[in-house]
Amino acid sequence: MALPAALKHLVDILQIIIDMLMVGMISVSALAAVGMSMQFMMVINVLMTLYVVGGNALISRFIGQGRKKRASALLYSLGIFAIFLSIFVTIGGYFASEQIYVLMGAEAEVVKQGSMYFKILSLGIVVIFIDNLLYNALSAAGDTKSSLYIKLISASINAFLNYVLIFGHFGFEAYGIEGAAYATVIAYCFNVIAYLILLKKPKAKLNLIPIIRIKDMKRVWNVGWSAALDRGISSMSFLVFISIITAYGTAGLAGYQVGLRIEGIAFMPGFGFAIAAMALVGQNLGANNKELAYKMGIISGRIAYIFMGSVGVVLILFPEVLVSFFTRDLATIKVASNYLVLVGLAQIPLAIVFVYSGALRGAGATKTTLKVNVLSLWFLRVIPSYIAYKMGYGLVVIFVIMNIETLIKGIVYWYIYHKKEWLNTKV
């Protein structure tokens, strides 16, 4: 289960890398704009967390208890809720796209390119919300293979449409950065259609049963609100962190974004193992097998350490080679290379953070992850980074502070997980 989830997230990051490669051919400003839009999506993910994390915890427990119909009815309710939320996000994102980039302190050309990109992306928020829900729900139910196959096809569609719409091939006009946005939205539409076809099959892990149980939605909310608050405060901290990096100039921002995308080769599969841990822990707790639930997190963690640690070595040894695929700008290459060397050293503690926090969320212990993440990000990363910037230190020092925060947070999660108190969380 963990391997398909990890491979799916690897395909996710490869899709992002292809996007960045093609957008980078337009200009450094376009590259920075798309990178910043991904940070904005982190904030939007807060709303998705409201129903995804609580939904995952409850669906996995229902499946562990052998209650597929109850889980399928919950999925239907969550879908209605997701569509309702997406309407407000679409309106806000479309009409406030330019102001968002200005607020982040982006330069004029980045604001122009980013506004064009994010307006189009905002129109596809509803399919992005539904895609996220259906992927997570099926993963919680134990089906990660189907999502992998769907993603492989949609990533190919996205790459082809990028080539056609960004640069103007096969008779189409060259839309530039807007073409990248159109390609992304169309790929998400394919995902949703494929998932809906899958859910109609009687043997699918989940179906859509049009029954709304307010009681179950309240249970989702009880888990989801703290996870959403965690994601919200964390996202705001990342945006503040990005604004600090933005103060070092467009090359610094673009270098960070490129480095982050390349690092994703290591940590996106880590997200896959986190999803597997979340589902397996929830299912075994639903079956009232606490010891096996604990062991599932340990096993997922060990695989993640090996995978992410190995990629970390590559990041340390060949940073310039990796960055050179994205840009020829020397200043951007220097920033991104410094970033990759440093984060390569932090991949194992990052794997601990991903997997153990995912396992805790699968158990419904979202209040614990809220406390750890908020305190760590603000007091160990954002505030020290701001102080370092004001004292005149370079961007490398900011990256070092980021690594130290990751290491300390990994140690804290390791300690909490091995205490086993989270196994008694009520959902």
Side-chain angles (χ1 to χ4, degrees):
M1 180 180 176
L3 185 57
L7 290 174
K8 189 267 182 187
H9 281 275
L10 180 58
V11 176
D12 279 336
I13 193 60
L14 289 175
Q15 178 178 331
I16 292 171
I17 287 174
I18 291 171
D19 279 352
M20 300 289 278
L21 281 169
M22 293 191 182
V23 170
M25 294 178 186
I26 301 171
S27 68
V28 173
S29 294
L31 184 64
V34 172
M36 288 183 75
S37 74
M38 293 174 186
Q39 308 304 322
F40 304 152
M41 288 303 298
M42 289 176 59
V43 178
I44 293 174
N45 281 341
V46 173
L47 294 176
M48 288 192 270
T49 303
L50 275 172
Y51 56 85
V52 165
V53 174
N56 281 355
L58 205 52
I59 286 173
S60 62
R61 292 207 182 196
F62 283 152
I63 294 297
Q65 294 164 0
R67 303 165 75 185
K68 176 184 173 181
K69 289 185 178 179
R70 187 72 173 266
S72 297
L74 176 58
L75 177 58
Y76 176 83
S77 302
L78 294 172
I80 299 297
F81 186 65
I83 293 170
F84 176 75
L85 284 180
S86 70
I87 294 171
F88 297 98
V89 178
T90 296
I91 294 171
Y94 185 85
F95 289 104
S97 57
E98 184 174 335
Q99 288 80 0
I100 293 172
Y101 280 90
V102 171
L103 185 63
M104 285 296 295
E107 296 178 359
E109 185 60 25
V110 176
V111 172
K112 178 183 176 182
Q113 294 283 329
S115 178
M116 293 162 57
Y117 180 83
F118 203 69
K119 277 187 176 181
I120 297 168
L121 197 65
S122 295
L123 297 176
I125 288 296
V126 62
V127 287
I128 294 174
F129 271 41
I130 296 299
D131 169 73
N132 192 275
L133 169 64
L134 297 181
Y135 162 63
N136 279 281
L138 284 170
S139 297
D143 181 8
T144 54
K145 288 184 179 179
S146 297
S147 297
L148 172 61
Y149 300 144
I150 290 170
K151 188 63 188 182
L152 285 170
I153 298 173
S154 71
S156 300
I157 292 172
N158 186 79
F160 174 74
L161 291 177
N162 272 342
Y163 175 75
V164 172
L165 299 177
I166 293 176
F167 306 112
H169 292 287
F170 301 108
F172 285 88
E173 181 182 342
Y175 289 99
I177 196 170
E178 292 178 309
Y182 286 125
T184 298
V185 172
I186 292 170
Y188 272 111
C189 288
F190 169 82
N191 288 351
V192 171
I193 292 170
Y195 278 126
L196 292 176
I197 292 172
L198 175 65
L199 291 172
K200 285 185 175 293
K201 295 182 178 180
K203 293 184 178 180
K205 290 284 186 179
L206 289 171
N207 306 116
L208 286 173
I209 298 179
I211 298 174
I212 297 177
R213 287 187 171 90
I214 302 300
K215 179 182 177 181
D216 287 347
M217 290 299 290
K218 287 181 178 178
R219 293 173 71 183
V220 169
W221 168 258
N222 287 337
V223 175
W225 76 263
S226 51
L229 184 60
D230 175 3
R231 182 68 64 86
I233 297 174
S234 298
S235 296
M236 290 305 298
S237 72
F238 277 117
L239 287 177
V240 174
F241 186 69
I242 291 292
S243 67
I244 294 171
I245 293 175
T246 302
Y248 287 91
T250 299
L253 175 61
Y256 170 73
Q257 298 294 352
V258 169
L260 194 62
R261 299 287 78 78
I262 296 172
E263 184 197 7
I265 295 174
F267 74 59
M268 288 303 279
F271 283 142
F273 289 111
I275 295 236
M278 183 187 298
L280 292 170
V281 166
Q283 288 176 22
N284 282 288
L285 288 176
N288 201 29
N289 192 336
K290 294 182 180 180
E291 188 58 32
L292 187 56
Y294 174 79
K295 288 180 179 178
M296 288 297 99
I298 295 294
I299 293 170
S300 297
R302 287 174 181 169
I303 300 172
Y305 309 155
I306 294 170
F307 195 102
M308 293 178 66
S310 299
V311 178
V313 173
V314 176
L315 298 180
I316 294 168
L317 295 178
F318 309 106
E320 291 89 357
V321 175
L322 296 170
V323 176
S324 65
F325 286 105
F326 291 85
T327 180
R328 299 297 178 187
D329 184 77
L330 294 179
T332 303
I333 291 174
K334 182 179 179 181
V335 172
S337 297
N338 289 335
Y339 176 86
L340 290 179
V341 170
L342 289 168
V343 298
L345 298 171
Q347 291 306 301
I348 291 178
L350 191 60
I352 294 173
V353 172
F354 284 160
V355 175
Y356 288 172
S357 65
L360 291 175
R361 291 187 182 98
T366 51
K367 293 181 181 65
T368 300
T369 57
L370 167 65
K371 295 173 184 176
V372 173
N373 290 338
V374 169
L375 292 174
S376 175
L377 285 170
W378 280 97
F379 290 99
L380 297 178
R381 179 181 295 198
V382 174
I383 294 175
S385 294
Y386 179 75
I387 293 171
Y389 166 69
K390 284 297 185 180
M391 292 179 66
Y393 288 103
L395 200 50
V396 171
V397 174
I398 307 298
F399 296 155
V400 170
I401 291 171
M402 181 183 69
N403 269 21
I404 293 172
E405 183 266 336
T406 300
L407 174 61
I408 294 174
K409 185 159 60 178
I411 293 171
V412 170
Y413 270 118
W414 185 91
Y415 174 76
I416 291 171
Y417 190 86
H418 286 80
K419 282 188 71 177
K420 298 185 180 181
E421 292 178 359
W422 55 272
L423 288 168
N424 300 312
T425 305
K426 301 294 182 182
V427 176

